[in-house]
């Protein structure tokens, strides 16, 4: 996962990450996504890896301009998420409750997300990428809207291990500034479509 996060951060700060981007382009799987376990034989994409790569490709495009190969790969990757309605199995349509690798619940929103996928992160990527929302995101949008607390804010539902140099929230179960900001942006994006 680290090269994907380095590519996003490097692009954001104007560093030359083209060699990492080229590697990511070469690792895209036939289903449109990515999986960091392909070296170990995995042939199906992972939501966790795919969201990290999508964010890196988008950041690269925003900082350097788009190129046909990067844009095409990113569009195929975001279609991977949309075909699955951001949290459903393509084969059966059933909701994916938990991630197999990290046992994280995709319906629980965290900040920072580190390498973990969740529905809010997927929607926030689509918003930032300027995707026109369609009916494939409506169920995920309803999930986000349902988590708004009576005070109008969204809670920090889970925390992943990792060192935070500056605390941004008061802890799990408490209102989260970042989850609230991201949720409000996503809902506004959807409502303005």
């Amino acid at each position: 996962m680290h090269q994907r996060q380095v590519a996003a951060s490097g692009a954001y700060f104007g560093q030359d990450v083209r060699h990492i981007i080229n590697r990511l382009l070469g690792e895209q799987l036939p289903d449109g996504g990515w999986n960091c376990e392909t070296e170990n034989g995995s042939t199906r994409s992972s939501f966790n890896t795919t969201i990290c790569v999508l964010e890196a490709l988008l950041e690269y495009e925003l900082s350097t301009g788009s190129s046909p190969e990067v844009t095409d790969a990113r569009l195929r990757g975001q279609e991977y998420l949309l075909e699955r309605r951001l949290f459903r199995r393509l084969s059966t349509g059933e909701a994916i409750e938990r991630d197999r690798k990290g046992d994280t619940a995709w319906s629980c929103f965290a900040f920072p997300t580190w390498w973990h996928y969740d529905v809010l992160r997927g929607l926030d990527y689509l918003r930032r990428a300027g995707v026109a929302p369609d009916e494939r995101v409506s169920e995920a949008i309803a999930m986000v809207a349902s988590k708004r607390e009576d005070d109008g804010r969204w809670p920090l539902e889970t925390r992943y291990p990792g060192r935070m140099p500056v605390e941004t929230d008061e802890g799990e179960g408490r209102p989260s500034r970042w989850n609230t900001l991201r949720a409000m942006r996503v809902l506004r994006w959807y409502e303005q479509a």
Side-chain angles (χ1 to χ4, degrees), residues 15 19 24-25 27 34 60 95 103 120 167 176:
Q15 299 301 303
H19 63 285
L24 295 175
L25 295 177
E27 293 176 351
W34 287 264
Y60 183 76
D103 197 39
L120 180 56
E167 284 300 328
S176 167

Side-chain angles (χ1 to χ4, degrees), residues 29 38 51 57 70 85 96 106 123 129 142 165 181 184 186:
L29 294 168
T38 54
I51 195 65
L57 295 179
V70 174
R85 299 180 179 269
I96 300 170
W106 291 355
L123 287 167
L181 174 66
M184 290 177 71
V186 160

Side-chain angles (χ1 to χ4, degrees), residues 1 23 38 48 50 62-63 80 93 103 110 113 128 152 156 176:
M1 287 297 173
R23 180 173 176 180
T38 54
N48 291 324
T50 298
L62 292 173
S63 68
Y80 169 86
D103 197 39
T113 54
R128 192 158 183 259
L156 179 67
S176 167

Side-chain angles (χ1 to χ4, degrees), residues 8-165:
S9 297
Y12 178 82
F13 287 108
Q15 299 301 303
D16 181 7
V17 294
R18 182 67 194 179
H19 63 285
I20 299 174
I21 296 299
N22 285 337
R23 180 173 176 180
L24 295 175
L25 295 177
E27 293 176 351
Q28 190 168 26
L29 294 168
D31 63 9
W34 287 264
N35 190 325
C36 63
E37 293 293 328
T38 54
E39 297 170 350
N40 298 325
S42 183
T43 58
R44 283 187 286 168
S45 294
S46 150
F47 278 74
N48 291 324
T49 306
T50 298
I51 195 65
C52 291
V53 174
L54 286 173
E55 291 169 346
L57 295 179
L58 179 60
E59 199 60 57
Y60 183 76
E61 285 184 289
L62 292 173
S63 68
T64 66
S66 61
S67 69
E69 69 267 9
V70 174
T71 301
D72 180 59
R74 188 176 56 75
L75 294 177
R76 286 188 359 247
Q78 71 189 35
E79 190 61 26
Y80 169 86
L81 295 180
L82 288 166
E83 285 177 333
R84 291 154 180 80
R85 299 180 179 269
L86 284 86
F87 68 99
R88 295 195 169 276
R89 294 188 193 291
L90 185 61
S91 58
T92 65
E94 76 178 289
I96 300 170
E97 302 280 329
R98 300 186 100 45
D99 172 64
R100 285 184 222 162
K101 184 174 183 179
D103 197 39
T104 58
W106 291 355
S107 61
C108 290
F109 306 150
F111 191 85
T113 54
W114 305 113
W115 57 268
H116 301 279
Y117 176 84
D118 65 46
V119 171
L120 180 56
R121 184 176 183 182
L123 287 167
D124 199 35
Y125 160 79
L126 294 172
R127 176 202 62 81
R128 192 158 183 259
V131 174
D134 61 32
E135 57 91 25
R136 296 176 293 177
V137 302
S138 60
E139 192 177 9
I141 288 289
M143 178 190 298
V144 170
S146 74
K147 292 175 175 280
R148 179 182 247 162
E149 306 244 317
D150 291 341
D151 65 2
R153 299 182 288 179
W154 279 259
L156 179 67
E157 294 182 296
T158 191
R159 264 190 116 157
Y160 301 120
R163 187 175 163 276
M164 283 291 291

